[in-house]
Structures are given as structure tokens and as C-alpha cells.
Amino acid sequence: MNKYGSIIIKDLFYSYPDGTQALQGINLIIHPQESVALIGANGAGKSTLLMNLNGTLLPHSGTVQIDNHVVTKKELTEIRKKVGMVFQNTDDQLFMPSVFDDITFGPLNLGYSPEKTKQIAFDIMTELEILELQKRPPYKLSGGEKRKVAIATILAMSPDILVFDEPTSNLDIKNRRNVINIMQNINQTLLVSSHDLEFLLEVCQRCVIIDQGKVVADGEIRKILGDEELLQAYHQEKPHSLIPHHHD
Ligand SMILES: Nc1ncnc2c1ncn2[C@@H]1O[C@H](COP(=O)(O)OP(=O)(O)O)[C@@H](O)[C@H]1O
Ligand SMILES: [Mg+2]
């Protein structure tokens, strides 16, 4: 079993420069290879929390530790190798002249040979059904296509921890299914925020609810998403697949 890919968050506070207190004392431990869903209303702090995991944002106080590295400016290179992140806004993520260049950028940077890199890129593009996009400039793609390319750039590096911020937003049914299949096959630590609770049920084993920058529930996903009162309190709706069907 892989012993890498742990996340330890202690008393994490984060405020934006305008004074918005987005995280107000997050404590959370995620073990190697766990698959964790992160849910909560708009503005609860999901994206802010995820951006603190790879040092896109740095704590105001408290700590985030990835395996034995505390997330600080000094450790950023190490942290970015360990934590691959697909941002909510994929425009921030794709910057090369072609899809192929974007997907191969990471592996080449990690020192993989051009041959190995090409093989990795080919396999991932095949899996995500984006081979025909490889020569296109990313900025000219549709929202859903961009998201798939962004997912490919992270998968290509095979980091110990994969973080996805609302990965199924603007994906059609076929691509959503495709992304579910891929995520079900990820063996590394997985942390996914989404409002698509049915998707989370298929991909994650554990679920954390955050509200106003704090963890308010944490447990086995079917328990959390089956708890109507708890969900209502945090503006969520019980997924249909967890509602018992009566056939008379
Ligand atoms: N760049 C920013 N500047 C100021 N406040 C922000 C910024 N980004 C997010 N916020 C605020 O921080 C809080 C948490 O936002 P966010 O982490 O994006 O929530 P979520 O992803 O759960 O919808 C919200 O109150 C939001 O308005
Ligand atoms: Mg968000």
C-alpha cells in the first residue's frame, strides 16, 4: 500500500486581503488513498480550502501538512509535485499553445523522457476521449473540453494527491460518466468538491461538509448524504439514489 498522500490540516484560518474570513479553524486529517467528498453551500470555503492544499493560498494561521512537508513558500516545488489540482476555473490552468503541450508539460518537467511522456499523454487522451483535441489551442476549447484537458494535465503527473474543484460542472452526461469512470480508478488520495452529490456518491467513500469556513460534519459518505436533517441544515438535498423506493 502507498504510504504517501496524507493531508493534515490544523487550526487553519484564511482571510482574503479584503478582510473576508473564508476559513475559520479547519481541522482535518486525510489518510493516504482515501477518497473524500467536500460539500457545502456557495461561499462555504471549499475552493479556499482546496487552494490552501497546494500553496496557491498560504494560511493566515494554522498549518497544512502534506506527508512530511508543511505547506510554505519554501516547500512549494515539493508540494506541487505531490498535490495535483484541477481548479474550478480551468482558464487559470491551461497556458501552452496546444493541448498536447499542456498535457506533456508536467511529465517533462518531472524529468520523464520524451518517449515515456508521449506514451503517458497518449494513454490519458485516449481514456478521456480527447485525442482529436491534441493540436488545438486550449483557449479555443469549450468549457467542458477545457475541463477534460485540465484533468488530463493532472493525471499525467500521477501525483500522490489529486484535488478536483467542481470537476463535473459544465460537463455533459457522457463526459460526466467518463470522468466518474476515471476517478473510480484513481488509487491515490482523492479530494473532490462538488454540488453533484450523485457523482460524489459514485466516487468517494468519505464526505466532509463545510459551512462558514468550518468542518461541520465528517463521515462515511452514505451516512452523511443519507442524513436528511443534517443536509437540510447545510442547504443540501438528499440524493435520489439514497431515497428508498416503494413498489406496491
Ligand atoms: N478573491 C477573493 N477575495 C475576497 N473574498 C473571496 C475571494 N474568493 C472567495 N472569497 C470569499 O471567501 C468565502 C469562501 O469562498 P469560496 O472558498 O470560493 O467558497 P466555495 O468554493 O465553497 O463556494 C466566500 O465568502 C467568498 O465570497
Ligand atoms: Mg468554489
Side-chain angles (χ1 to χ4, degrees):
M1 203 184 110
N2 191 350
K3 58 188 187 331
Y4 297 109
S6 71
I7 305 171
I8 301 174
I9 302 169
K10 281 190 191 149
D11 295 321
L12 174 63
F13 285 77
Y14 183 87
S15 300
Y16 284 100
D18 69 356
T20 307
Q21 298 182 330
L23 301 179
Q24 312 205 50
I26 300 269
N27 286 286
L28 191 62
I29 295 178
I30 295 173
H31 300 100
Q33 298 183 304
E34 263 194 301
S35 53
V36 182
L38 183 63
I39 66 172
N42 288 327
K46 302 178 296 295
S47 295
T48 308
L49 175 58
L50 297 180
M51 287 191 281
N52 269 275
L53 299 180
N54 76 343
T56 304
L57 302 176
L58 292 166
H60 183 82
S61 69
T63 55
V64 176
Q65 191 179 330
I66 306 295
D67 291 329
N68 43 11
H69 301 271
V70 175
V71 179
T72 56
K73 245 187 202 150
K74 217 177 68 200
E75 295 275 359
L76 276 192
T77 316
E78 235 8 79
I79 298 289
R80 297 271 162 89
K81 274 188 210 159
K82 286 189 158 284
V83 184
M85 169 131 170
V86 177
F87 291 88
Q88 192 166 353
N89 182 357
T90 45
D91 284 337
D92 301 343
Q93 191 144 12
L94 306 171
F95 52 89
M96 297 295 279
S98 75
V99 166
F100 180 83
D101 292 339
D102 250 322
I103 296 171
T104 53
F105 181 83
L108 289 173
N109 238 9
L110 291 176
Y112 294 178
S113 71
E115 295 72 34
K116 186 171 178 199
T117 299
K118 219 169 159 178
Q119 189 60 51
I120 291 171
F122 179 80
D123 290 346
I124 288 169
M125 288 190 291
T126 306
E127 220 184 333
L128 278 162
E129 299 175 17
I130 52 173
L131 268 175
E132 73 285 359
L133 300 181
Q134 60 178 304
K135 293 192 176 132
R136 305 263 306 272
Y139 71 92
K140 283 191 180 163
L141 301 177
S142 78
E145 289 170 336
K146 275 184 198 162
R147 189 165 302 277
K148 288 213 291 178
V149 174
I151 291 171
T153 65
I154 299 309
L155 292 176
M157 291 186 282
S158 197
D160 292 328
I161 300 172
L162 292 104
V163 178
F164 297 96
D165 197 353
E166 302 201 19
T168 60
S169 63
N170 62 35
L171 288 187
D172 63 23
I173 294 292
K174 177 168 155 280
N175 283 317
R176 175 178 174 278
R177 181 52 50 193
N178 188 241
V179 166
I180 290 173
N181 291 337
I182 285 160
M183 288 201 184
Q184 284 175 334
N185 287 322
I186 288 175
N187 295 314
Q188 301 102 307
T189 307
L190 183 62
L191 185 53
V192 196
S193 91
S194 184
H195 298 288
D196 180 351
L197 303 186
E198 296 287 358
F199 152 71
L200 292 173
L201 269 173
E202 291 197 58
V203 169
C204 299
Q205 288 166 340
R206 178 179 164 193
C207 180
V208 171
I209 305 182
I210 68 169
D211 185 57
Q212 297 183 29
K214 285 198 182 102
V215 173
V216 291
D218 182 357
E220 204 271 314
I221 193 161
R222 284 175 185 277
K223 244 186 205 152
I224 299 277
L225 297 187
D227 186 336
E228 213 139 355
E229 255 174 65
L230 178 70
L231 293 177
Q232 240 168 42
Y234 299 109
H235 317 290
Q236 308 289 319
E237 257 179 29
K238 189 164 167 173
H240 274 279
S241 64
L242 292 184
I243 297 172
H245 298 278
H246 298 284
H247 303 282
D248 322 23

